[in-house]
């Protein structure tokens, strides 16, 4: 079947009835994952903090955090996040969990600074999680974080995930930029070098690959675009040339396929997470009006799992990552309320597409980071 | 619960000299994992090893064990790599193991990353491209596998490695002409990795690529990857889209049952079974008209309108945006 030719979908008009979004079930799914994960998910051991962010973030977008979680528990969560802040010879930041922290005699812990070091992606998600929990950030080692970022940047402008590690790609560039923006301090980042790295990941299709010479992909294209628009710039300076901008808009919008969902690469099947990655990138570029929002939510509607949570595609199993990103996509592209107001359950907390959090949370962190 | 694959380290005499370190959890943790005893035991011994700093052959067994339980355990990979270097372990053995793990954990970043580190040490990429080809059989669009191939080619930049790339791509295209990863790889090989011996005549190379793309479009017109490639080739070489107007035009028309098969290598026509008109061709022709400006803008607008209303209604808003933009440009 042709990729372009779709079944004609009803175009947005005033009264569109959607079955209600299963908000309560999605909240329960997130809470269940926070309570505990089966051993079959052991591969998130080294990224548990990010998974926790997706769960808490879902509650934030659904605007049910205070209602579903009492203050005592929220304070315990905050304590857990702070416990993941770690300092060492390479500065400060957050580690994924205590997966490399040993239990010492008495109650103290034992960890090697070299193998229990902060991680760029975890630091970004920890800051957002603490902002969702409305922390006052009194415990934040701001100078340590700046030093940590500086230690992670490589010669080619990209960032390692950890100061001693060797993994690096476009995603970590975004996290470093988002952290710098949240701290309102860019001294840990050589912005020009990082921008040159981003530019080297651009492909002939108009998207960005994970590293230079890789195929254009929705997630990494989001991180590239968000980074370019987060970065400080002099007056009149544009993050992209007009031609680049149009080409990227074209590629992004061509990824909305006949299912209504977005795919991550040309010719692949639609996947719920790309509804966020491509949809948010278009919003940053000021062209969210080009998304067929109704077809998008209808696709995500079909991705809902009957016992809560949202999966990457219809009839797959849900996970916190796809649940969070789908909710964020719905929040950006809600179906019209209509005269009867039937679609109110689909209207969620407004999103800041640059930081990938609710606007209230993004505002909180900018106002409260000391 | 998964069946243990090995006896617990705590029951083994050979490990009695290692002080295991249980995982620390003081505050109520978020999203705790209900670890199996096997994983708990192995990671406790691993934390103990990291604390003592031991690097020995048995550390290789332990980290392999953990990696098999959790291939995303980046610290186990990191420590394994340092141990390999420290005890000067034979790296060909390590690569053999990686052959198995890469296929098993195809979608885990660390598996591929470790492979890169090992190859950087051995500086011997000879069997690497065949390995990639083999593992693409499991998943022909796997992102990590393709990036690995691109890394091998550019890192070693050896003319003997590059030489077979177009033939390799032919076999990939024979399986699936819509595989965008293969199209992307072709662009990388032909245009974005320098000019190699035998490819100095760039005009000839561009002609070859245009012929290749047109031919594949004629076999399967509704293939966005091929149309994106065509755009890419023209843009990269600063050729106007109008270079290929004669080729594109028949694809914007309804299927013509009267058409006779004619052999025109420069402008291969759509096959008789082709589903026409092809939306990607309509978009392409509209771009040509738009760049001509003036009277042609009207023709571009009609084409966009036909996409919005008939041929690509999912993206109605995008086509209407193109119309609005061109009218604005036209009036200033
Ligand atoms: Zn996904």
């Amino acid at each position: 079947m042709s990729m372009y030719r779709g079944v004609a979908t009803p175009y947005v008009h005033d009264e569109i009835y959607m079955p209600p979004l299963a908000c309560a079930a999605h909240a329960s799914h997130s809470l269940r994952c926070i309570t505990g994960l089966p051993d079959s998910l052991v591969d998130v051991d080294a990224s548990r903090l990010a998974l926790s962010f997706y769960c808490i973030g879902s509650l934030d977008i659904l605007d049910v955090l205070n209602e579903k979680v009492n203050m005592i528990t929220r304070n315990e969560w905050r304590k857990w996040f702070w416990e993941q802040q770690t300092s060492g010879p390479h500065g400060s930041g957050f580690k994924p969990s205590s997966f490399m922290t040993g239990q010492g005699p008495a109650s103290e812990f034992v960890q090697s600074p070299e193998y229990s070091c902060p991680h760029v992606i975890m630091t970004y998600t920890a800051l957002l999680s603490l902002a969702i929990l409305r922390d006052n950030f009194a415990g934040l080692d701001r100078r340590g974080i700046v030093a940590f970022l500086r230690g992670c940047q490589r010669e080619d402008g990209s960032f390692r995930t950890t100061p001693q590690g060797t993994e690096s790609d476009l995603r970590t560039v975004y996290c470093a930029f988002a952290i710098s923006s949240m701290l309102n301090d860019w001294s840990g980042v050589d912005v020009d070098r990082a921008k040159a790295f981003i530019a080297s990941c651009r492909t002939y299709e108009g998207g960005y690959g994970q590293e230079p010479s890789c195929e254009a992909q929705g997630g990494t294209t989001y991180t590239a675009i968000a980074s370019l628009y987060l970065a400080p710039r002099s007056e009149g300076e544009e993050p992209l040339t007009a031609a680049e901008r149009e080409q990227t808009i074209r590629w992004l919008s061509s990824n909305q396929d006949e299912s209504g969902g977005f795919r991550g690469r040309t010719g692949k099947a639609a996947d719920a997470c790309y509804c966020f990655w491509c949809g948010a990138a278009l919003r940053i570029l000021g062209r969210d009006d080009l998304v067929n929002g109704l077809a998008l939510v209808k696709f995500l509607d079909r991705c809902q799992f009957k016992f809560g949570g949202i999966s990457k595609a219809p009839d797959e199993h849900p996970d916190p990552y796809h649940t969070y990103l789908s909710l964020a996509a719905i929040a950006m592209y809600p179906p019209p309320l209509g005269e009867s107001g039937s679609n109110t359950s689909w209207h969620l907390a407004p999103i800041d597409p640059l930081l990938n959090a609710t606007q209230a949370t993004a505002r909180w962190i900018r106002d409260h980071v000391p | 619960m998964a069946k243990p694959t090995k006896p617990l380290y705590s029951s083994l005499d050979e490990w009695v000299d290692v002080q295991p370190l249980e995982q620390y959890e003081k505050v109520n943790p978020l999203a705790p994992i209900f670890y199996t005893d096997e994983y708990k035991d192995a990671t406790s011994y691993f934390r103990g090893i990291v604390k003592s700093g031991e690097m020995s052959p048995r550390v290789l067994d332990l980290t392999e064990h953990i990696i098999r339980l959790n291939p995303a355990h980046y610290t186990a990979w990191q420590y394994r790599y340092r141990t390999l270097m420290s005890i000067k372990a034979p790296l060909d053995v390590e690569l053999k193991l990686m052959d198995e793990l890469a296929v098993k954990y195809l979608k885990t970043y660390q598996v591929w990353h470790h492979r890169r580190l090992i190859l950087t040490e051995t500086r011997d990429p000879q069997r690497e491209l065949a390995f990639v080809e083999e593992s693409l059989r499991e998943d022909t669009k796997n992102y990590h596998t393709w990036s690995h191939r691109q890394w091998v080619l550019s890192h070693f930049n050896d003319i003997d490695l590059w030489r077979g790339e177009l033939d390799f791509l032919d076999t990939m295209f024979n399986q699936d002409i819509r595989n965008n990863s293969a199209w992307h790889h072709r662009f990388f090989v032909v245009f974005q990795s320098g000019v190699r011996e035998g490819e100095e005549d760039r005009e000839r190379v561009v002609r070859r690529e245009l012929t290749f793309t047109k031919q594949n479009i004629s076999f399967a017109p509704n293939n966005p990857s091929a149309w994106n490639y065509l755009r890419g080739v023209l843009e990269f070489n600063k050729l106007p889209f109008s270079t290929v107007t004669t080729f594109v035009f028949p694809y914007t028309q309804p299927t013509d049952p009267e058409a006779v098969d004619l052999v025109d290598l420069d402008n291969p026509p759509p096959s008789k079974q082709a589903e026409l008109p092809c939306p990607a061709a309509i978009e392409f022709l509209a771009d040509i008209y738009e760049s001509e400006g003036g009277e042609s803008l009207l023709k571009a607008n009609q084409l966009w309108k036909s996409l919005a209303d008939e041929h690509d209604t999912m993206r109605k808003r995008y086509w209407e945006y193109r119309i609005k933009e061109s009218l604005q440009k036209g009036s200033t």
Side-chain angles (χ1 to χ4, degrees):
Chain A
M1 198 173 62
S2 94
M3 283 302 166
Y4 278 82
R5 227 170 288 194
V7 185
T9 19
Y11 196 51
V12 179
H13 42 80
D14 286 330
E15 193 74 10
I16 301 287
Y17 175 78
M18 294 282 297
L21 179 67
C23 296
H26 301 323
S28 302
H29 176 260
S30 301
L31 287 167
R32 260 199 316 275
C33 293
I34 290 175
T35 314
L37 303 168
D39 77 76
S40 57
L41 291 180
V42 72
D43 62 343
V44 302
D45 203 20
S47 57
R48 250 173 65 204
L49 196 151
L51 182 126
S52 305
F53 161 71
Y54 293 128
C55 295
I56 298 179
S58 295
L59 299 174
D60 194 28
I61 299 177
L62 291 165
D63 199 16
V64 294
L65 184 63
N66 291 355
E67 171 196 324
K68 299 264 181 194
V69 186
N70 65 36
M71 200 165 57
I72 298 170
T73 310
R74 294 202 307 270
N75 284 340
E76 276 181 357
W77 288 359
R78 285 172 37 215
K79 252 194 255 164
W80 182 81
F81 280 106
W82 282 118
E83 247 196 19
Q84 311 316 318
Q85 186 175 235
T86 169
S87 309
H90 307 290
S92 303
F94 291 77
K95 56 190 162 88
S97 70
S98 54
F99 82 119
M100 280 308 294
T101 310
Q103 176 73 57
S107 66
E108 82 274 22
F109 57 80
V110 189
Q111 63 185 19
S112 118
E114 205 178 330
Y115 292 102
S116 207
C117 52
H119 187 289
V120 175
I121 301 176
M122 303 307 140
T123 303
Y124 156 71
T125 45
L127 293 177
L128 285 183
S129 303
L130 285 163
I132 293 171
L133 295 165
R134 304 297 184 251
D135 194 272
N136 64 11
F137 290 100
L140 189 73
D141 180 4
R142 166 189 265 281
R143 284 174 63 191
I145 292 181
V146 171
F148 158 62
L149 290 182
R150 195 174 296 131
C152 287
Q153 192 165 19
R154 292 170 33 143
E155 203 52 45
D156 67 0
S158 68
F159 287 77
R160 300 177 189 91
T161 50
T162 62
Q164 299 264 284
T166 44
E167 299 172 18
S168 72
D169 59 48
L170 207 42
R171 294 170 309 167
T172 37
V173 173
Y174 166 71
C175 292
F177 274 38
I179 293 165
S180 303
S181 166
M182 290 190 259
L183 300 183
N184 193 23
D185 181 343
W186 290 82
S187 60
V189 171
D190 183 333
V191 176
D192 288 337
R193 221 155 9 110
K195 279 189 184 166
F197 179 78
I198 296 171
S200 73
C201 295
R202 194 177 167 89
T203 88
Y204 68 96
E205 290 195 278
Y208 293 77
Q210 190 158 299
E211 49 183 335
S213 80
C214 284
E215 184 185 357
Q217 203 263 13
T220 45
T221 299
Y222 166 83
T223 58
I225 297 297
S227 301
L228 292 174
Y229 281 78
L230 277 167
R233 55 176 186 267
S234 42
E235 200 166 312
E237 187 191 337
E238 286 297 329
L240 294 170
T241 67
E244 286 170 335
R245 195 169 160 275
E246 289 313 312
Q247 194 200 17
T248 301
I249 290 170
R250 172 190 177 273
W251 180 77
L252 285 168
S253 83
S254 78
N255 284 324
Q256 185 166 26
D257 78 4
E258 57 264 46
S259 71
F262 276 86
R263 53 185 162 228
R265 293 184 255 160
T266 305
K268 294 268 285 178
D271 172 332
C273 65
Y274 296 112
C275 294
F276 176 81
W277 299 127
C278 296
L282 280 165
R283 179 163 248 203
I284 293 168
L285 292 169
R287 283 273 78 107
D288 44 341
D289 58 330
L290 304 186
V291 173
N292 186 338
L294 192 62
L296 178 120
V297 290
K298 285 193 164 171
F299 172 76
L300 293 174
D301 180 33
R302 293 195 292 122
C303 294
Q304 295 185 90
F305 187 63
K306 59 181 167 183
F307 303 118
I310 304 177
S311 44
K312 67 173 187 175
D315 305 316
E316 299 259 3
H317 279 282
D319 61 76
Y321 170 82
H322 286 97
T323 303
Y324 172 82
L325 292 170
S326 300
L327 292 173
I330 292 167
M332 285 189 294
Y333 298 101
L337 272 175
E339 277 163 40
S340 64
S342 61
N343 294 332
T344 46
S345 66
W346 290 85
H347 285 250
L348 307 172
I351 295 291
D352 178 332
L354 286 170
L355 287 186
N356 188 3
T358 64
Q359 287 177 7
T361 293
R363 211 174 309 120
W364 180 274
I365 195 156
R366 296 218 153 100
D367 290 349
H368 289 81
V369 161
Chain B
M1 194 171 274
K3 265 219 320 255
T5 52
K6 281 183 156 193
L8 298 184
Y9 293 89
S10 49
S11 70
L12 294 173
D13 288 344
E14 314 82 290
W15 289 85
V16 75
D17 58 317
V18 179
Q19 183 69 45
L21 254 182
E22 267 181 45
Q23 181 168 329
Y24 167 86
E25 289 289 11
K26 181 177 158 201
V27 172
N28 281 346
L30 268 88
I33 300 164
F34 300 120
Y35 302 122
T36 57
D37 288 342
E38 185 184 5
Y39 187 76
K40 239 193 257 178
D41 174 67
T43 53
S44 290
Y45 277 79
F46 180 55
R47 281 183 290 268
I49 289 285
V50 167
K51 180 165 179 260
S52 71
E54 176 181 329
M55 295 197 170
S56 65
R58 70 174 175 183
V59 172
L60 297 182
D61 294 338
L62 177 63
T63 50
E64 181 189 335
H65 186 193
I66 293 175
I67 285 163
R68 285 181 185 276
L69 297 171
N70 172 13
H73 196 303
Y74 63 84
T75 316
W77 283 107
Q78 218 171 22
Y79 202 82
R80 179 182 184 82
Y81 177 72
R82 289 187 190 169
T83 304
L84 287 165
M85 293 301 114
S86 155
I87 65 173
K88 301 199 166 47
L91 296 180
D92 53 328
V93 177
E94 183 70 1
L95 266 185
K96 272 257 155 48
L97 174 67
M98 288 309 117
D99 287 357
E100 183 211 333
L101 296 188
V103 177
K104 208 162 179 175
Y105 308 114
L106 211 55
K107 300 213 162 160
T108 308
Y109 184 91
Q110 277 78 19
V111 182
W112 294 98
H113 186 70
H114 186 74
R115 200 177 176 95
R116 260 189 215 191
L117 296 178
I118 303 297
L119 286 167
T120 308
E121 280 303 314
T122 64
R123 281 182 251 144
D124 178 14
Q126 289 323 313
R127 53 183 283 273
E128 218 39 30
L129 296 183
F131 167 77
V132 169
E133 193 168 346
E134 184 66 31
S135 68
L136 279 174
R137 263 180 252 257
E138 298 290 320
D139 176 359
T140 56
K141 298 180 179 178
N142 187 280
Y143 204 80
H144 298 309
T145 319
W146 283 101
S147 346
H148 184 66
R149 192 173 187 99
Q150 284 136 12
W151 177 81
V152 169
L153 289 163
S154 38
H155 181 83
F156 295 102
N157 200 18
D158 178 339
I159 184 81
D160 288 330
L161 291 176
W162 289 106
R163 212 186 309 274
E165 279 316 88
L166 291 188
D167 288 338
F168 153 72
L169 280 171
D170 277 344
T171 62
M172 294 307 295
F173 284 128
N174 281 337
Q175 288 169 43
D176 179 9
I177 194 62
R178 291 185 165 80
N179 185 343
N180 196 60
S181 302
W183 285 96
H184 171 84
H185 190 70
R186 189 172 182 105
F187 200 89
F188 160 72
V189 170
V190 177
F191 296 110
Q192 286 198 304
S193 47
V195 175
R196 281 172 296 278
E197 206 187 301
E199 301 266 292
E200 294 93 343
D201 181 353
R202 297 315 277 173
E203 256 176 61
R204 193 190 64 83
V205 168
V206 171
R207 236 182 357 255
R208 179 190 72 201
E209 291 310 300
L210 289 178
T211 306
F212 173 83
T213 313
K214 290 173 182 174
Q215 213 124 56
N216 279 298
I217 287 176
S218 88
F219 300 143
N222 288 296
N223 178 5
S225 299
W227 288 98
N228 282 353
Y229 190 81
L230 181 62
R231 289 168 174 269
V233 171
L234 294 170
E235 274 165 1
F236 186 85
N237 294 288
K238 305 202 164 48
L239 293 168
F241 282 10
S242 55
T243 314
V244 294
T245 310
T246 320
F247 164 72
V248 172
F249 190 78
Y251 293 84
T252 65
Q253 302 300 304
T255 311
D256 177 6
E258 311 283 279
V260 278
D261 276 328
L262 46 122
V263 182
D264 180 350
L265 287 181
D266 277 332
N267 302 298
S271 69
K272 276 188 194 140
Q273 312 85 282
E275 239 188 288
L276 294 178
C278 165
I282 299 178
E283 178 189 11
F284 202 103
L285 188 61
D287 282 345
I288 294 173
Y289 288 147
E290 187 188 33
S291 58
E292 282 173 7
E295 299 278 290
S296 297
L297 275 185
L298 203 66
K299 287 196 273 184
N301 275 319
Q302 275 164 356
L303 291 176
W304 285 321
K305 198 163 170 0
S306 79
L307 287 166
D309 294 341
E310 193 181 347
H311 304 299
D312 185 19
T313 53
M314 179 57 72
R315 299 202 295 137
K316 187 178 178 71
R317 292 171 163 207
Y318 178 75
W319 304 121
E320 288 176 347
Y321 156 76
R322 295 295 302 270
I323 293 173
K324 217 167 79 202
E325 289 285 292
S326 84
L327 291 178
Q328 258 161 20
K329 259 182 248 158
S331 65
T332 50

